[in-house]
Amino acid sequence: MKVEDTALEGVKIVTPDRFGDARGFFSETYNQRRWEEHGLPSFCFVQDNHSLSRDIGVIRGLHFQTEPFAQDKLVRVAHGSILDVAIDIRRSSPSYGRHVAVELSAENGRQLIVPKGFAHGFCTLEPDTEVLYKVTNFHSAPHDRGLAFDDPDLDIAWPIAPERAILSEKDRRWPRLRDLAETFA
């Protein structure tokens, strides 16, 4: 297993080992003991989510949940590829408002740890992309929040022009970071 730090503390890229042969490959995508051996947090995942995006340029996010339903996430791609983005929304953090963007794909096997206090979203790079993510808290609609994916203050270099992005109506209505009423301390 390979663990890489990113420019944001707590956001890490984890690439599990793959063991391949003529049939394909096998990989342990999560093993708590191995994570502890690599100094990673010991998460208690309580829910797995799976999304399918049919088209290139689907943007899901930028999502987070407020306390007491904040979530740590472990994100990976089962089919296709995405540009995965995590934004620090902890007001007291020296990296507040900064983001990291990482390409995750079924081929590269990379996973992204997105801790509590970060907004998360992705853009599909291939058709029929399937994203799986484990979370440490249950979904709670009253605590569900988000940020505008095209907030110029975030300066995210999405791989698609904003006017061509495919979003849900809900994701089109999120506020900019500067207008966010509730964030993390």
Side-chain angles (χ1 to χ4, degrees):
M1 181 167 82
K2 180 179 177 185
V3 178
E4 301 170 68
D5 291 326
T6 68
L8 299 179
E9 187 176 341
V11 179
K12 297 190 181 290
I13 302 166
V14 178
T15 308
D17 295 328
R18 284 187 175 178
F19 305 95
D21 60 25
R23 301 168 296 168
F25 72 85
F26 171 82
S27 181
E28 275 184 356
T29 58
Y30 179 75
N31 178 316
Q32 184 176 343
R33 190 173 332 153
R34 296 267 331 238
W35 276 48
E36 290 170 357
E37 290 169 3
H38 282 83
L40 293 170
S42 181
F43 293 115
C44 178
F45 293 115
V46 299
Q47 181 176 312
D48 283 2
N49 301 316
H50 184 160
S51 72
L52 166 67
S53 298
R54 294 264 180 230
D55 298 312
I56 295 172
V58 170
I59 294 181
R60 294 183 185 260
L62 302 163
H63 302 146
F64 63 95
Q65 287 190 169
T66 58
E67 295 291 1
F69 287 92
Q71 301 171 320
D72 302 291
K73 296 179 182 178
L74 176 62
V75 185
R76 69 185 181 91
V77 174
H79 184 266
S81 60
I82 61 173
L83 182 70
D84 204 26
V85 177
I87 302 100
D88 188 348
I89 57 171
R90 301 167 299 169
R91 288 201 188 267
S92 62
S93 171
S95 59
Y96 176 75
R98 290 184 36 217
H99 72 277
V100 293
V102 178
E103 186 173 329
L104 305 181
S105 70
E107 186 175 321
N108 70 24
R110 299 166 101 191
Q111 301 178 97
L112 192 67
I113 298 173
V114 181
K116 294 175 185 173
F118 287 77
H120 171 256
F122 61 84
C123 180
T124 57
L125 304 174
E126 296 180 49
D128 298 321
T129 292
E130 294 188 51
V131 178
L132 300 133
Y133 52 104
K134 302 173 101 40
V135 294
T136 58
N137 214 332
F138 299 103
H139 177 259
S140 173
H143 298 87
D144 193 25
R145 302 287 188 279
L147 290 175
F149 84 99
D150 58 351
D151 181 342
D153 293 336
L154 298 177
D155 195 29
I156 298 170
W158 293 107
I160 189 160
E163 64 276 5
R164 297 194 59 224
I166 302 166
L167 291 105
S168 70
E169 283 306 310
K170 180 178 171 182
D171 285 349
R172 288 186 187 284
R173 293 191 303 264
W174 293 126
R176 291 176 62 170
L177 180 64
R178 68 171 69 162
D179 299 323
L180 196 61
E182 295 182 44
T183 60
F184 297 83

